[in-house]
Amino acid sequence: IYYVGRQEEEPFLAMELLPGPTLAERIKHEGVIPYPDAIRFAIQIASALKHATIFDLIHADIKPANIILAGEGRVKLSDFGLARMQKQGEETGEQPVAGTPSYVAPELLQGGAYSIQSDMYGLGVTLFEMVFGKTPIAARGESLKEKLDSLKNDEVDFPSPWPNSIPREFKSLIQRLLAKKPEDRFANYSELLESLRTIEPVSTTSAGFAPRLMAFMVDQACLLGCLAPFAISIFVLQGNKHPQRQLFIPIIAFLSLVVPFLYLFLVYRGWPSLGRYLFQLRIVEEHGLPPRREQLVPREVLRNAFAWLFPLALYFSLQSVSLSIAIEYSLIGVLGLNSVALFLLGRRKALHDYLCHSNVVLAVDKNQLV
């Protein structure tokens, strides 16, 4: 409300003019909301509900019809006509239930108290409807009692098979928002917002070939530089035919394994490689989310195959020419497959990105590097 006044004997409120339509109208006409937009809308709604708690308010009627599109990817939460104070929700005894049944939390249908968790349930139904175009639980039965019982007791009807365009983490979030017991939902809106931002796709541009190549070359040079002292030591000892010194060769070769292990440990801990840091590249999984650590490690093993195989080929060339040749052919094969993936396939992704379902994008700032 911007202004309260009176025109002669008629009181009036001056309020923000929103272009609309409502989210319910958009879902009706377009079917579903793209996943990235749906998550961003949910973040805005949760932020509005969090702000309402500053004034001790529970909205009590969260549904798509009460969310208005405000242009440029923004939504506004409207219609606080059924809102109540949180302290009202803490009162004992049965309370009258208002709202659309499909969006009402199960505990309210059983006479429970309104709470921020009951608003979270309505948000969960709304978010599910945005992404899948339908409510998560259908009201079954002929009578009103049968329909309400089905809403209280039935489980969420997730699509099967799960669509590839939606990350699995979204299902876990919905399951928590739509938990039958309010205590199984999020404790507060800060916790909910943190989970929503975790599954929000990254808005970045795919990295071009040049920065990716430069980052790759920097990383290979660093790894080969770290392995060089071990390789030089082995060659020096190999030239010295003293039996006791020959015993140090396998020991040094074994110690050289500390380089890949340390590198992969740092990757697992979330550190970017030097090349990605210098050229501000970020790794995301296929849905635009930060990749799992378990996903990054095999990706880096494949990405740095040259750094691992080249010193290995040099070492085995001292022991077995045939084994060394086999490793060299493997190295050529990896480089060849990478070239095919990069230049002949339409998506311009490296082999390790195809295998690990990842993408390389430009980071907005260095705090986003993974």
Side-chain angles (χ1 to χ4, degrees), residues 4-273:
V4 178
R6 184 184 295 273
Q7 177 69 26
E8 297 180 352
E9 297 301 317
E10 296 294 331
F12 68 87
L13 304 175
M15 301 176 68
E16 180 182 11
L17 176 64
L18 299 175
T22 67
L23 197 56
E25 291 170 331
R26 179 171 170 182
I27 293 173
K28 180 180 179 180
H29 290 102
E30 299 185 17
V32 298
I33 307 295
Y35 174 78
D37 291 341
I39 294 298
R40 293 179 189 117
F41 290 167
I43 290 173
Q44 294 175 56
I45 299 165
S47 298
L49 290 170
K50 180 181 179 181
H51 187 75
T53 61
I54 297 174
F55 305 97
D56 200 38
L57 284 175
I58 298 170
H59 186 280
D61 195 20
I62 304 296
K63 59 183 179 181
N66 289 338
I67 299 163
I68 303 176
L69 296 171
E72 299 180 359
R74 296 185 304 121
V75 294
K76 294 291 184 77
L77 180 60
S78 69
D79 197 351
F80 279 76
L82 298 179
R84 59 198 67 206
M85 309 295 285
Q86 289 193 65
K87 61 185 178 183
Q88 288 180 285
E90 297 168 0
E91 295 174 356
T92 57
E94 292 192 3
Q95 303 177 56
V97 179
T100 306
S102 294
Y103 304 90
V104 175
E107 66 271 15
L108 301 181
L109 297 175
Q110 297 171 343
Y114 281 89
S115 65
I116 63 171
Q117 281 72 30
S118 57
D119 273 355
M120 288 180 188
Y121 185 91
L123 176 57
V125 177
T126 299
L127 180 55
F128 186 99
E129 188 173 359
M130 280 194 279
V131 173
F132 297 119
K134 63 176 184 176
T135 54
I137 301 174
R140 298 182 296 103
E142 298 296 329
S143 67
L144 177 60
K145 182 180 183 305
E146 289 175 337
K147 292 180 179 179
L148 293 179
D149 285 342
S150 68
L151 291 172
K152 286 187 293 185
N153 301 317
D154 288 359
E155 296 299 323
V156 177
D157 182 22
F158 287 107
S160 181
W162 186 259
N164 293 328
S165 59
I166 309 297
R168 287 279 179 180
E169 291 82 358
F170 178 75
K171 183 176 183 179
S172 300
L173 176 80
I174 292 294
Q175 286 174 324
R176 191 166 178 188
L177 283 172
L178 300 184
K180 299 297 184 184
K181 298 179 180 179
E183 59 268 24
D184 292 335
R185 297 169 206 148
F186 293 93
N188 51 61
Y189 285 115
S190 296
E191 186 179 339
L192 170 57
L193 283 166
E194 182 180 352
S195 293
L196 283 168
R197 291 186 178 113
T198 299
I199 63 172
E200 180 187 11
V202 177
S203 295
T204 47
T205 305
S206 295
F209 178 73
R212 288 159 57 193
L213 177 62
M214 295 300 294
F216 175 77
M217 293 176 64
V218 167
D219 290 340
Q220 300 306 295
C222 289
L223 290 172
L224 291 173
C226 292
L227 290 167
F230 297 97
I232 293 171
S233 300
I234 290 174
F235 274 104
V236 170
L237 291 173
Q238 185 70 22
N240 191 318
K241 300 302 182 181
H242 195 283
Q244 291 184 344
R245 294 187 177 183
Q246 292 289 307
L247 296 175
F248 285 101
I249 293 178
I251 297 174
I252 294 174
F254 179 78
L255 290 176
S256 68
L257 295 176
V258 73
V259 174
F261 277 115
L262 179 59
Y263 177 81
L264 294 175
F265 174 76
L266 293 176
V267 168
Y268 182 80
R269 297 287 295 181
W271 286 54
S273 68

